[in-house]
Amino acid sequence: MIKDKVAYITGGTKGIGFGIAKILLENGVSVAFSGRKKEDVEKAEQELKLISENVLGIVSDVKNLTNEEDAVRQIKEKFGRLDFVIANAGLGIFKPVDKLSAEEWNDMIETNLTGVFYTLKASVEELKKTEGYYITVSSLAGANFFENGTGYNASKFGVVGFTQAAMIDLRKYNIKSTVIMPGSVATHFNGNTPSEKDAWKIQPEDMGNLVLDILKMNSRVLPSKIEFRATKPAK
């Protein structure tokens, strides 16, 4: 059902996006992924090609609509179609609201929220052709506010609302939309270096397997919002 389909993953050079890319490639999906830094994209592309040659690394900043439109053009040129879009790129800056700068606020909102819109805006006409799937990666921070989280909470609450509303707009074209809200994930997010101390957390491949399960569901089923957390609390 998903073999020979084509996916585009933003923020795919490491962490969640890279984990999703690996699982999809292992299951016969061709994968394009993007990142902001050329060296990171090239490194990830080399690693992913050990799984499958059906990989395309793209340098793109989701804050730039033209970048995302060019990414979709490159995907069409290489693979001829686009079936699945996973809007994963994001960042977090955690400070008290009186210490958070306007630049830091804008960077989070433009990346985490405007970026998911730009990715969809650039790809939606291709998804209409394939009756495809649009998935966003939000966070449990999209439902639970916390200290030092004003900018991050605002962006992730926004992603949840955006994706749910987009789901209603797009289902008339037989495009399915899901927002995933993970809790703690073992990634490089917020300056973390994954290690054994992160073994209790959701792993990137767990996110990949979740996306795989979503894409393989019967077309009559739409899991529009998924909260996804570690079984045990933080250690």
Side-chain angles (χ1 to χ4, degrees):
M1 187 167 62
I2 66 169
K3 187 175 171 57
D4 300 324
K5 298 291 181 70
V6 178
Y8 174 40
I9 304 165
T10 67
T13 60
K14 56 189 175 183
I16 290 173
F18 189 81
I20 295 171
K22 286 178 64 177
I23 295 297
L24 293 185
L25 285 168
E26 288 169 357
N27 284 272
V29 179
S30 297
V31 170
F33 70 92
S34 65
R36 290 183 295 174
K37 297 179 180 179
K38 182 179 179 181
E39 58 270 28
D40 291 344
V41 170
E42 291 176 346
K43 180 176 182 293
E45 187 176 49
Q46 289 176 355
E47 292 180 28
L48 290 170
K49 281 189 174 180
L50 297 175
I51 302 171
S52 170
E53 284 294 317
N54 295 322
V55 178
L56 174 65
I58 300 168
V59 178
S60 179
D61 187 341
V62 296
K63 294 186 292 184
N64 186 311
L65 177 57
T66 301
N67 279 189
E68 286 297 275
E69 290 172 338
D70 186 58
V72 172
R73 178 188 59 77
Q74 292 182 57
I75 293 165
K76 280 294 299 294
E77 287 179 355
K78 181 171 178 64
F79 297 117
R81 60 185 293 140
L82 178 57
D83 302 274
F84 311 135
V85 173
I86 297 97
N88 165 71
L91 63 88
I93 302 168
F94 303 99
K95 293 182 179 180
V97 66
D98 55 316
K99 305 297 183 183
L100 189 68
S101 71
E103 182 180 7
E104 290 167 335
W105 168 274
N106 288 332
D107 204 16
M108 278 189 287
I109 296 298
E110 290 172 13
T111 301
N112 298 354
L113 181 54
T114 304
V116 302
F117 168 65
Y118 283 169
T119 298
L120 178 59
K121 187 71 174 175
S123 61
V124 68
E125 295 305 319
E126 297 306 319
L127 292 179
K128 287 178 182 178
K129 295 174 186 176
T130 58
E131 296 186 349
Y133 213 127
Y134 174 66
I135 295 173
T136 61
V137 179
S138 179
S139 168
L140 290 181
N144 306 292
F145 52 87
F146 52 86
E147 188 176 13
N148 298 333
T150 52
Y152 191 69
N153 282 142
S155 67
K156 292 301 188 177
F157 270 74
V159 171
V160 174
F162 171 79
T163 312
Q164 295 280 272
M167 177 267 294
I168 296 171
D169 288 344
L170 297 176
R171 60 185 177 180
K172 67 173 70 73
Y173 304 108
N174 293 321
I175 298 172
K176 298 171 73 176
S177 303
T178 297
V179 56
I180 302 173
M181 303 166 66
S184 299
V185 184
T187 71
H188 292 84
F189 186 75
N190 197 30
N192 180 60
T193 300
S195 67
E196 285 301 314
K197 65 180 174 55
D198 297 308
W200 66 274
K201 296 179 180 179
I202 299 165
Q203 301 299 307
E205 59 266 30
D206 298 327
M207 288 291 295
N209 281 311
L210 175 61
V211 169
L212 180 66
D213 288 343
I214 291 169
L215 296 177
K216 291 173 71 174
M217 285 185 182
N218 192 289
S219 60
R220 66 175 174 265
V221 179
L222 177 58
S224 58
K225 181 170 68 172
I226 298 173
E227 292 190 0
F228 195 55
R229 50 174 48 83
T231 302
K232 296 181 179 180
K235 293 183 179 181

